[in-house]
Amino acid sequence: MSACNTGGTRTLESPDGNVKIEFNLTKQGEPTYDAMYKGKTIVGESKLGFEAQGLPSLTEGFKVVGISMGSEDETWAPVWGESDSIRNNYNSMTIKMRKNADSVEVLMGVEFRAYDDGIAFRYVFPEQETKQFVITDELSQFAMTGDHTAWWIPGDYDTQEYEYVKSPLSEIRSLNTDDKLGNVSQTGFSPTGVQTSLMLKTADSLYLNIHEAALVDFPAMHLNLDDSTMVFTSWLTPSPDGTKAVIKTPFKTPWRVVMVSDKATDILATQIIYNLNEPCAIDDTSWIKPVKFMGVWWEMITGKSEWSYTNAENFDLATFDYSKAKPHGKHGANNENVKRYIDFAAENGMDQLLIEGWNVGWEDWFGKEKDYVFDFVTPYPDFDIAMLNEYAHSKGIKLMMHHETSGSIPNYERHMDRAYDLMNQYGYNAVKSGYVGPILPKGRYHYGQAEVNHYLDAVKKAAEKKIMVDAHEAVRPTGLARTYPNLLANESAMGTEYQSMSPGHVTILPFTRLKGGPMDFTPGIFKMDLSTFAPNNHNKKRATIANQLALYVTMYSPLQMAADFPEHYAEKADAFQFIKDVPVDWSESHYLDAEPGEFIIVARRQKNGDSWYVGGVTNENAREVTVPLSFLAPDTQYEATFYTDAADTDCDTNPETYVIKKETVTSASAPVIKMARGGGFAISIVPKK
């Protein structure tokens, strides 16, 4: 540590020398940074700092009082993941600063890390005379060097369930209109506000991605663009009083991250977000297992059946007598229907079965903003929780719990211990939680500091009970699954429930939402015209069968759902074979080719095995691709089963046709495959005996 009271530039380089960060303290004592990749500026001079209640601006008047340099090169093994091991290799520089104003001394540092594939920084508030800071704004800048192409969704304090827009940065304002896709809770903040992870491409074909890592005890960060200068400034989700965060020293903020490469596939492959998180905090992880599951879910989403049991409305859950209620006859989570799903799931090698609508309260939940809306322990009269769990266990599978909170966080926190204990009682080891609707107490947002803390507290408490979590409508992930690997997946993006999204959506998500962690996307839809089984639903899924199979490979998750009905899979048992076969945990992964919004091709080797699985998806454009199999072991013959679009397949006009064929392949093979509009392909590759 060296003391230094003057300004000047300090430089940090990545281990390979391609990434460079420069820190500078201006004559006014303003901390700034910029970043370069292979000699090209990727972030221009950008200011750093905060505004805090009762204090002079924490953006100027600083002096550097110490600098420390460091490096790390370690390899760690994730509990589950895209590969058996992850290398964490970086150089670091921590700038310690002091500001004296109005008889108040403030100590603030900035810790930088330079990786071969990106930069990261966070603020460090050491223990000091000021014990608490009330942050009113974070003013971290990301100065772009041009009018880059961006793949973005609108800035929103409550939801990320949007289609992505591709546009130059300069067009965000005109395209960020009020006719956004409707959502029951939606709160925009600026016509140029966008969310992270934000994917960018420069005019000279550099790929950039801005996100955050290790979001703990802090509000989620959005980005607000000054489209006259192309400078993004961090924008934190506020609390009801308009402040952003209360921090107690010592404190470290989440990391602010810029990923960079001249290859799109490197953005998909980078593990920088996980590397910026703390190591696993759970001593015994033997109970944490990846899960392939089915569910009584799609029939409610599409309107074939309902979550509710009766037509009652506007009642007090504590006094309503379900034993005297008349069933409406469309309740999906009934004993007979659940047993039918259990039988099929067990016969086809699934691990678990999710059942939504099993518990009382669904008649009076949506959009009501009720505090006491569910109790998470009382089943409907036609759902025999003891019998169904025993039946499932006798078939070798588990039931997956569902906890919808309807946004009433205080109610969930009051009931959480009992709810988790009920799961332990009946042998559930995974829960899908949901936060649909405005957050209660009123005035709070899904991505505020208190809510961020709640989501993580729920995961920590679940870990104590040896329960895995799949959180929907919670804050988007930032790599915390490294620290708490029982957080198997989140939703936090537009998933299959939206039914008729554009085909290109699945070619963007791995570049954006999935950079922070896996998504419960719920793929595997085989019946694309929803009116054929839900007459009042006129949506058509814009995807092909081969595309739906490919998603199990292209969109990594240790929690994968076969989302369609048993009868739809039985009709196409030959295609369903791929879903049965494909693993949900991997020893190595290779991103073979990709372009955001266009297509993605991925190969993965099964965990502790020699079989490979390859998936490819495309957008609205049909395309022919060559798939080199050079990742295979040399001098070995494999049997490859190809699941491809047929010659006449089209996501809009003929989505359910496909071709299955087997071939012998080696590492020298390079099959040429045609993907239809909205289509794709999947390949299972097994060594010949």
Side-chain angles (χ1 to χ4, degrees), residues 560-623:
Q560 291 281 23
M561 185 182 195
D564 213 331
F565 303 164
E567 57 267 33
H568 295 165
Y569 290 137
E571 291 171 4
K572 297 180 174 68
D574 54 352
F576 185 60
Q577 186 64 46
F578 183 83
I579 297 178
K580 292 168 62 174
D581 292 341
V582 67
V584 287
D585 203 13
W586 308 97
S587 278
E588 59 179 302
S589 298
H590 299 278
Y591 289 91
L592 305 181
D593 201 0
E595 183 66 21
E598 298 289 326
F599 69 98
I600 295 174
I601 303 172
V602 190
R604 305 188 194 274
R605 181 169 62 84
Q606 72 175 104
K607 189 78 167 182
N608 301 322
D610 299 318
S611 295
W612 287 82
Y613 294 80
V614 185
V617 291
T618 185
N619 59 5
E620 294 87 345
N621 299 318
R623 68 184 75 233

Side-chain angles (χ1 to χ4, degrees), residues 361-401:
W362 287 91
E363 295 80 7
D364 206 35
W365 78 286
F366 188 78
K368 297 295 183 69
E369 298 188 51
K370 289 176 61 175
D371 176 54
Y372 182 39
V373 58
F374 296 110
D375 70 4
F376 312 100
V377 295
T378 306
Y380 277 125
D382 60 349
F383 185 88
D384 188 333
I385 188 170
M387 179 275 290
L388 289 170
N389 271 278
E390 184 178 346
Y391 187 76
H393 296 165
S394 74
K395 299 273 186 172
I397 67 170
K398 293 178 179 290
L399 299 188
M400 182 182 294
M401 179 53 74

Side-chain angles (χ1 to χ4, degrees), residues 207-360:
Y207 297 89
L208 307 176
N209 192 296
I210 305 175
H211 196 23
E212 64 177 322
L215 175 59
V216 176
D217 195 16
F218 211 67
M221 180 186 74
H222 313 273
L223 299 170
N224 199 35
L225 177 67
D226 182 338
D227 48 11
S228 66
T229 61
M230 298 303 164
V231 174
F232 284 109
T233 302
S234 56
W235 187 286
L236 303 180
T237 305
S239 298
D241 64 0
T243 63
K244 303 298 174 64
V246 177
I247 63 174
K248 296 181 179 180
T249 58
F251 186 83
K252 296 178 180 178
T253 70
W255 293 94
R256 282 63 183 101
V257 189
V258 182
M259 295 161 257
V260 59
S261 181
D262 44 22
K263 296 178 181 178
T265 50
D266 289 347
I267 300 296
L268 294 173
T270 179
Q271 299 292 333
I272 189 172
I273 298 295
Y274 281 117
N275 279 329
L276 288 162
N277 278 266
E278 294 297 313
C280 182
I282 301 171
D283 293 332
D284 173 21
T285 60
S286 61
W287 53 274
I288 301 173
K289 305 289 186 185
V291 175
K292 191 186 298 183
F293 70 108
M294 293 184 68
V296 184
W297 171 78
W298 187 235
E299 60 183 75
M300 280 88 88
I301 292 292
T302 57
K304 181 174 183 280
S305 65
E306 295 182 9
W307 287 270
S308 62
Y309 173 78
T310 182
N311 290 322
E313 195 175 7
N314 298 320
F315 59 82
D316 182 356
L317 187 66
T319 59
F320 186 79
D321 188 351
Y322 276 97
S323 69
K324 297 178 181 178
K326 181 182 178 181
H328 55 46
K330 292 191 68 178
H331 182 224
N334 65 75
N335 293 332
E336 182 180 353
N337 195 35
V338 171
K339 287 178 73 174
R340 182 176 71 90
Y341 274 86
I342 290 173
D343 289 342
F344 187 87
E347 290 165 6
N348 289 279
M350 298 291 142
D351 301 308
Q352 299 199 16
L353 178 72
L354 166 73
I355 303 113
E356 297 199 5
W358 70 276
N359 58 317
V360 297

